[in-house]
Amino acid sequence: MKNTIVIVVLLLGILEGISAEEQSTTAVNNNILCSPTCTLSQMKKWAKNKSSYTTATFLANADYVYSYAKKVGVNPCLVYVQYAYETLYGAYGGQVKESYKNTCGLKNSDGTWAQFATWNLGIEAHIDHLALYAGANGYPRSGSPDPKHFAYLLGCATTIDAMGLKWANGQTDYASKIKSFMAEVQATVADPTLSVSTASLTMSTTVGSTVTQTFTVTGSAITTTIGVSSNNSLFTVSPTSLPMAGGTVTVKYTPTTAGAHSATITVKSSGASNVTVSVSGTAKNAPLAFTQVWNYSETSGNKKDWATDFSTIRNMDYSAGKLYVVTNGGKITVVNAQTGATLGDLSSQGISGGAINLVDCKVISSKIVACNVTTSTATPLKVYVWDNDNAHPRVLLSTTDFGGVSRIGDCISVQGNLTNGVLYFAGGSTTENNKVICYQITNGVCSTSPTTKTMLNASGEGMKFGFSPRVQPNADGKWWCNGANYYPSLFDANGTLIATLNAAAVGSVCSGNAFKAFSFNGVNYGVATTYNAGTPTITAGRVALFDATNGWSAAEKIGEYPSAGLGTTRNTTFSSSVAVAVNGTSGVEMWVLVHNQGVAYFKYGTTPTWNPIAPNPGFETGTIEHYLSNDNLVISNNSECLYVDDDVQKIELYTLTGQKIRVVDNQNEMSVSGLQGIYLVIVQDKKNVVKVGKIIIR
C-alpha cells in the first residue's frame, strides 16, 4: 500500500538521519489493539518537531485520529505514525493526492486509490482496516468507509509485525520503521497543554437562588498548578486551583437581578495556552406567591353585609387601608380593606341621573371621585367629588358633550389631581370605534367640552374595545385601554398602539376590563382580570398576575387569584376592578372585584396594619384652619379628624412647646376630637420624606 517510491526514499533518508539519541529505546507495544501509548500532546509535539515536513492538515487531524482510534481500541500512536509514514507527514506528492483524504494508501477493490469526502471518513477507513486486521470486537463494522472491509480479514494480523508484512506487500522493514516512529513519539516531551470537557455552559434560575454546573479540566505535561477564574462575580468557581493533572470545576450562578448574564471562565497554567469556558445565565424573578386573606364570592360561599348580592357590587378602588366599593348603583360603601369589615357609606346627597347613578370610582390624593354612566345626551355625564370621607359630594362635571360617542362613564380615570388634571373616559358603544374622551381640570374647575383621541391599531385602523372599556393614563401622557374585545393595550399620547399585553400572560380570554401595572423591588409586574375559556363565557372571574421584566409584549404569567375563580354567574356587564398596594420592599396587597361574582383580598410578604376610621357624613367642617407649608403639605378636616393629602407612613401632632400629643401610623387621618389651639403636624410619607404644617383648631 505504499504511496510512491519517492516517499519511501525520503522516509529512508529521514530514518537514516536519526541519531542514536533520537531513536529512543522506549518500549513499543507490538499489539495493534491496546490502550494509547502516547498522549495527544506528544503526537502533536512530535509532528511539530518535523516542521520541515509536517503540514497543517496533518497536525489538525491528530485530534480525530486520537479520539476515534481510542474509541475503537486501536493504539492512536500506531495510526498517527503510519499516517505520517504513508503520506510524508501529510505532504503527499506521489500517486495518492492530498485531495483524496486517504491517510494510509488504501485501495479500492479495482486497484484504484480510495478517495473520501472528508478527512474524518478517511481516518475512520484507516483505523477500521487496522481494527479488522486485529480482530476488534464489533468488526467487520457495518457502514465502515473502509473499501476493503472484508470479513475474511478479521484477525489476520493482531500485531504490528504481522500487519507490516500484509500492509506493505512483504516489505520486511515496514514494521520496524513504524515502531521506530512510535518510539520517537513516545519519547517526545510534549508541550504543556490544558483542555476542558466543554466550551460552554448554560444555566438558569431565579433571582436570589443559586444553580451549579461542572466541567472537567485535563492537564498534559503541566509543571505547575492550574488556576481557574471567572470575570463576573455572579458566576463563581470552585476550586480556584487544581493539581497539575486537572480536576472538576464547579461554577455557581447567583443572580441578583433578572435578565441575561454571561461570564468567561479562564483556565491557565505556566507554559500552557489558556483555555476558556463561556458561561451564559438567565435569571427570572422569584414569583410572587400571594396568600388569600378573605374571599366573599359565589365560589367561596362567604358573604358580607356589604356584599350579600354580588350583582350590586360594580367597581372599587383602594386608599390608605380602605376599599371604596360602588354598590347598588347609587352609593359608595367604605370597607376595611384588610378585614373586609364594613366601615360605612359615603354621603349620597345629590347623587342622581344617568342610566346608572354611580358606576365607577377612584381615590385621588385622599379625595374620592365617581361618575355615572349615560347613553343619551338628554342625561348629562356627571362626575362627583368627595373631599374626604365625611364630606357631601360636589359636582365636578356635568355635561352633555360626550365628544361624539353614544355611551360614556363605564369607567373613570384621572391624570394629575382634582385641582389640575384630566378626567379620562373610554367612550363608545359595542358598535363604535372607541375614543379617549378627556376633560381638563384647571384650578379645580372642569371643562365641559372634551378633547378626543381615536385609538388606532398598528395598521392605523380604529379599535372597538367592546362593552365597558377602561382607559388608564400614565404620567408620561401614554395610556392603557382594555375591554371585552382586547387584551390591555398601551397607546402613545397620539392614540397609536405601542404594545399589547402578551395574551399568554392573561389567558385565552381577553374580556376582563381591569388592569394595573406596578413595581415591586425593581421588577415590573401587572395584574388583569380574566375568565374561564369556553362556554359559558365570562365565568370564574379572577386576576392574572404577570412579570413584565422583558416588556409587556413578552410578559409571563406567574399566578391567578383566586385560582378557582369568584363565581359561575356570567359577568354580562364586563365590570371588574383590581387594586394593588405596594409596601416598599416588604410586601404587596391585591384586591379583585368581578361584577355578579364577588370580591377577594390577597397579600404577599409583610404589609402594614391599618386601622381606618369610619366615614361620618355630614360632620361640620371648617373647624380647622390649615396652611400650605413650604413642604406643600395639604391638610383638610372635619370637627373630629384631620386629613393629610399624601401617602402617609406616620402623622405626629405637637403643641407649639414641642410636646407630642398624638401619633398614627399608616393612616392619612387623625382624630382631633377634644382639641383646641394651634398645633404642628409632622408627616412622614412612604418614601420617608418628612413634611411639616400648622393647624388651628377652634
Side-chain angles (χ1 to χ4, degrees):
M1 295 184 184
K2 294 307 283 89
N3 186 354
T4 173
I5 294 175
V6 174
I7 294 178
V8 173
V9 171
L10 286 169
L11 287 171
L12 287 171
I14 294 166
L15 288 169
E16 291 171 357
I18 297 174
S19 67
E21 182 180 352
E22 290 171 321
Q23 296 186 46
S24 172
T25 58
T26 302
V28 172
N29 192 325
N30 194 36
N31 294 317
I32 294 173
L33 300 179
C34 66
S35 299
T37 59
C38 69
T39 65
L40 176 60
S41 297
Q42 284 179 298
M43 282 170 40
K44 288 184 175 182
K45 181 61 179 296
W46 173 76
K48 289 177 183 178
N49 289 343
K50 307 294 184 182
S51 58
S52 59
Y53 308 103
T54 303
T55 66
T57 301
F58 177 74
L59 189 61
N61 282 341
D63 292 276
Y64 195 65
V65 166
Y66 199 90
S67 63
Y68 189 72
K70 184 178 179 181
K71 174 183 174 183
V72 169
V74 173
N75 189 351
C77 188
L78 164 62
V79 179
Y80 200 54
V81 300
Q82 190 177 27
Y83 177 7
Y85 185 77
E86 292 283 350
T87 68
L88 188 57
Y89 305 96
Y92 290 87
Q95 296 176 25
V96 178
K97 307 300 182 185
E98 183 178 15
S99 61
Y100 295 177
K101 300 178 177 62
N102 186 333
T103 61
C104 62
L106 284 172
K107 287 186 176 181
N108 299 313
S109 297
D110 61 4
T112 59
W113 298 111
Q115 299 182 40
F116 302 96
T118 66
W119 282 110
N120 283 5
L121 286 174
I123 291 167
E124 288 179 19
H126 179 179
I127 295 170
D128 283 352
H129 203 66
L130 286 170
L132 184 67
Y133 268 30
N137 290 334
Y139 281 80
R141 180 171 77 87
S142 176
S144 172
D146 176 10
K148 289 187 174 183
H149 207 63
F150 306 132
Y152 71 83
L153 293 175
L154 183 66
C156 68
T158 61
T159 65
I160 298 173
D161 290 337
M163 177 274 296
L165 294 174
K166 290 182 173 294
W167 198 285
N169 298 321
Q171 182 181 329
T172 57
D173 62 348
Y174 187 85
S176 63
K177 291 175 181 177
I178 292 296
K179 289 195 284 187
S180 178
F181 272 34
M182 291 175 66
E184 284 186 34
V185 176
Q186 293 169 191
T188 299
V189 178
D191 289 332
T193 59
L194 293 166
S195 62
V196 289
S197 57
T198 182
S200 62
L201 296 173
T202 301
M203 311 169 80
S204 62
T205 188
T206 56
V207 175
S209 299
T210 62
V211 64
T212 62
Q213 285 194 30
T214 62
F215 65 92
T216 302
V217 177
T218 301
S220 178
I222 297 297
T223 58
T224 61
T225 56
I226 301 170
V228 186
S229 61
S230 168
N231 67 345
N232 187 333
S233 60
L234 298 182
F235 300 87
T236 57
V237 293
S238 178
T240 57
S241 180
L242 293 170
M244 291 180 285
T248 299
V249 175
T250 299
V251 181
K252 182 167 71 173
Y253 175 40
T254 309
T256 56
T257 58
H261 308 106
S262 62
T264 298
I265 309 300
T266 301
V267 181
K268 60 184 179 180
S269 183
S270 179
S273 297
N274 294 351
V275 292
T276 59
V277 176
S278 298
V279 185
S280 60
T282 302
K284 294 183 178 181
N285 296 300
L288 301 182
F290 282 84
T291 300
Q292 180 175 289
V293 181
W294 52 257
N295 181 329
Y296 306 127
S297 67
E298 287 184 330
T299 300
S300 72
N302 298 322
K303 294 185 177 182
K304 206 69 174 173
D305 52 357
W306 57 273
T308 58
D309 181 355
F310 302 122
S311 68
T312 65
I313 57 173
R314 191 92 178 192
N315 285 300
M316 68 171 183
D317 201 16
Y318 168 85
S319 176
K322 292 177 282 189
L323 286 184
Y324 295 80
V325 185
V326 178
T327 61
N328 295 308
K331 69 177 182 178
I332 296 175
T333 298
V334 185
V335 175
N336 184 317
Q338 295 180 324
T339 67
T342 304
L343 295 174
D345 296 333
L346 298 185
S347 169
S348 297
Q349 179 177 298
I351 302 295
S352 65
I356 303 175
N357 294 157
L358 289 179
V359 70
D360 193 20
C361 69
K362 289 287 180 291
V363 183
I364 309 296
S365 300
S366 302
K367 300 179 187 293
I368 303 92
V369 59
C371 65
N372 66 357
V373 63
T374 181
T375 58
S376 170
T377 54
T379 303
L381 168 68
K382 288 186 177 181
V383 176
Y384 304 92
V385 174
W386 290 256
D387 289 309
N388 55 63
D389 285 6
N390 298 330
H392 293 302
R394 57 183 173 87
V395 177
L396 177 66
L397 172 66
S398 179
T399 182
T400 56
D401 187 347
F402 306 157
V405 297
S406 61
R407 181 184 178 100
I408 193 169
D410 287 290
C411 304
I412 185 173
S413 295
V414 180
Q415 184 183 57
N417 56 52
L418 297 174
T419 301
N420 292 287
V422 182
L423 301 178
Y424 274 73
F425 297 90
S429 67
T430 56
T431 60
E432 295 175 286
N433 289 333
N434 289 110
K435 296 179 181 179
V436 175
I437 314 298
C438 299
Y439 297 89
Q440 185 73 42
I441 305 171
T442 304
N443 295 325
V445 178
C446 187
S447 172
T448 57
S449 298
T451 58
T452 64
K453 296 177 183 179
T454 301
M455 288 176 280
L456 303 175
N457 63 21
S459 300
E461 301 165 334
M463 302 173 69
K464 295 181 177 67
F465 277 81
F467 202 69
S468 194
R470 184 185 297 274
V471 63
Q472 299 173 87
N474 293 342
D476 58 5
K478 300 174 184 175
W479 70 80
W480 287 90
C481 188
N482 56 313
N485 299 335
Y486 283 91
Y487 291 102
S489 302
L490 180 63
F491 295 84
D492 66 17
N494 298 315
T496 301
L497 182 66
I498 298 173
T500 299
L501 183 67
N502 181 19
V506 180
S508 58
V509 179
C510 60
S511 299
N513 78 334
F515 166 78
K516 188 172 290 293
F518 67 97
S519 179
F520 178 63
N521 286 336
V523 180
N524 291 325
Y525 294 97
V527 288
T529 46
T530 187
Y531 302 89
N532 275 354
T535 303
T537 58
I538 48 181
T539 60
R542 55 196 181 273
V543 65
L545 170 70
F546 38 89
D547 184 330
T549 297
N550 297 318
W552 298 111
S553 298
E556 298 181 55
K557 184 192 295 184
I558 54 178
E560 291 185 344
Y561 300 91
S563 58
L566 289 168
T568 56
T569 301
R570 299 178 68 238
N571 178 16
T572 53
T573 67
F574 295 95
S575 292
S576 61
S577 299
V578 291
V580 175
V582 177
N583 181 35
T585 61
S586 300
V588 182
E589 296 172 285
M590 176 174 68
W591 297 262
V592 56
L593 180 153
V594 176
H595 185 219
N596 289 338
Q597 297 179 21
V599 58
Y601 163 52
F602 307 86
K603 71 175 184 177
Y604 167 82
T606 303
T607 58
T609 299
W610 292 88
N611 296 295
I613 297 173
N616 202 341
F619 261 48
E620 181 183 355
T621 61
T623 59
I624 298 178
E625 295 181 15
H626 60 275
Y627 300 90
L628 284 176
S629 73
N630 292 334
D631 298 309
N632 294 321
L633 175 63
V634 179
I635 305 171
S636 57
N637 63 279
N638 60 38
S639 59
E640 295 291 325
C641 297
L642 67 83
Y643 299 87
V644 175
D645 189 5
D646 215 331
D647 190 11
V648 175
Q649 182 179 153
K650 179 182 293 187
I651 304 174
E652 296 175 316
L653 191 66
Y654 289 83
T655 66
L656 292 183
T657 60
Q659 179 185 3
K660 181 164 66 176
I661 56 173
R662 292 187 183 174
V663 61
V664 293
D665 293 321
N666 298 308
Q667 298 183 55
N668 63 346
E669 55 192 67
M670 172 188 282
S671 171
V672 293
S673 176
L675 298 179
Q676 278 189 319
I678 302 174
Y679 299 90
L680 293 178
V681 181
I682 300 178
V683 177
Q684 181 179 357
D685 67 17
K686 290 295 179 63
K687 296 180 180 179
N688 293 318
V689 175
V690 176
K691 301 177 182 179
V692 180
K694 184 169 66 173
I695 60 172
I696 302 175
I697 304 175
R698 300 187 187 279

